[in-house]
Amino acid sequence: MASRRMETKPVITCLKTLLIIYSFVFWITGVILLAVGVWGKLTLGTYISLIAENSTNAPYVLIGTGTTIIVFGLFGCFATCRGSPWMLKLYAMFLSLVFLAELVAGISGFVFRHEIKDTFLRTYTEAIQNYNKNDERSHAVDNVQESLSCCGIQSYTNWSTSPYFFKYGIPTSCCMNSSDCNTQDLRNMTVAATKVNQKGCYDLVTSFMETNMGIIAGVAFGIAFSQLIGMLLACCLSRFITANQYEMV
């Protein structure tokens, strides 16, 4: 019996070491999600408003998920160091819930990516029709057009149906050279054609989404399946510790 306990001790020590390393990496993942959520809320709010028809809670979801992972990552380290079987089982249960949530989110994002594109087209069209240069969506339109050097949905001519065009012309955010643009030129479609960017923003945004969707999905699934490693380590360690305690009785 004593020899068996001596044999299981190195295994328990090895599992503890691996699980502590895993929990630390898991904790780092939580910190990254929290940082991305805060960054998204502070800097991407205007862009998100063009993708979602209504106000979206995506940054808050990332902040909440990141905070929860940070807490449970620390809990995983504590449970491992303490060698508590029930704590390790609770940690494994949490990892399984995170795995399922990430798997569902990843599959949903990939399956409904075309709906996201359709929503973007609809909301971007509405943003152009309701453009006034002052509200959040108008600022988002300007940011997209300036950063991507594009204009309108399919082309700059989409602005001809906007009420804003009849008063002020095409927005200056469409200009190729802001110093060479004035309101009079931008109110004339023929003259404006030589002053503004020709490419529409919709194709540029959606092609970017399509190009990077595979990479994003691959990373998401990779992170999700990494939870299986943590679950396996936590369950194995709990089992070995329980068996070792039983043998000592």
Side-chain angles (χ1 to χ4, degrees):
M1 191 75 72
S3 62
R4 244 182 113 177
R5 286 201 301 270
M6 292 295 292
E7 290 175 1
T8 58
K9 190 173 180 180
V11 176
I12 292 174
T13 302
C14 180
L15 287 173
K16 277 188 174 184
T17 303
L18 291 174
L19 191 54
I20 287 174
I21 293 172
Y22 173 84
S23 296
F24 178 73
V25 173
F26 187 55
W27 182 83
I28 292 294
T29 302
V31 173
I32 292 172
L33 286 177
L34 178 60
V36 169
V38 173
W39 174 74
K41 180 60 183 175
L42 295 177
T43 62
L44 299 180
T46 54
Y47 293 92
I48 292 173
S49 68
L50 288 176
I51 297 174
E53 292 180 289
N54 302 308
S55 179
T56 178
N57 293 319
Y60 294 111
V61 171
L62 287 175
I63 291 171
T65 303
T67 303
T68 304
I69 288 176
I70 288 172
V71 172
F72 270 90
L74 293 174
F75 175 80
C77 289
F78 176 75
T80 305
C81 293
R82 180 154 185 165
S84 172
W86 73 267
M87 285 185 176
L88 290 168
K89 289 176 182 176
L90 181 61
Y91 184 47
M93 186 182 301
F94 171 74
L95 290 176
S96 66
L97 292 176
V98 172
F99 167 73
L100 291 174
E102 290 177 344
L103 196 61
V104 170
I107 293 174
S108 298
F110 189 76
V111 170
F112 295 110
R113 66 190 185 281
H114 296 299
E115 289 188 18
I116 295 173
K117 290 168 61 178
D118 292 339
T119 300
F120 173 72
L121 176 61
R122 185 164 56 253
T123 55
Y124 199 77
T125 302
E126 291 173 359
I128 286 180
Q129 290 301 314
N130 298 319
Y131 183 88
N132 60 17
K133 207 175 181 64
N134 297 316
D135 63 15
E136 185 180 22
R137 284 198 172 184
S138 297
H139 290 157
V141 169
D142 287 334
N143 287 335
V144 168
Q145 293 187 150
E146 288 174 354
S147 60
L148 298 180
S149 298
C150 59
C151 187
I153 305 166
Q154 278 80 28
S155 72
Y156 70 96
T157 57
N158 296 126
W159 282 101
S160 63
T161 62
S162 172
Y164 181 87
F165 174 79
F166 297 106
K167 291 183 179 179
Y168 307 103
I170 298 174
T172 54
S173 57
C174 281
C175 294
M176 289 185 286
N177 184 356
S178 58
S179 62
D180 189 32
C181 269
N182 59 67
T183 304
Q184 186 176 355
D185 290 341
L186 294 176
R187 292 178 67 179
N188 185 322
M189 273 291 173
T190 304
V191 177
T194 62
K195 306 283 186 178
V196 301
N197 294 302
Q198 303 291 309
K199 290 182 179 180
C201 298
Y202 176 76
D203 288 338
L204 290 176
V205 173
T206 53
S207 64
F208 174 82
M209 289 170 59
E210 287 289 340
T211 302
N212 292 278
M213 187 60 72
I215 298 174
I216 294 171
V219 171
F221 284 123
I223 293 174
F225 280 100
S226 71
Q227 314 306 324
L228 295 176
I229 299 173
M231 291 163 54
L232 180 64
L233 289 173
C235 289
C236 287
L237 181 57
S238 175
R239 182 170 174 271
F240 271 103
I241 290 175
T242 302
N244 194 53
Q245 289 175 345
Y246 176 76
E247 289 171 3
M248 290 177 67
V249 176

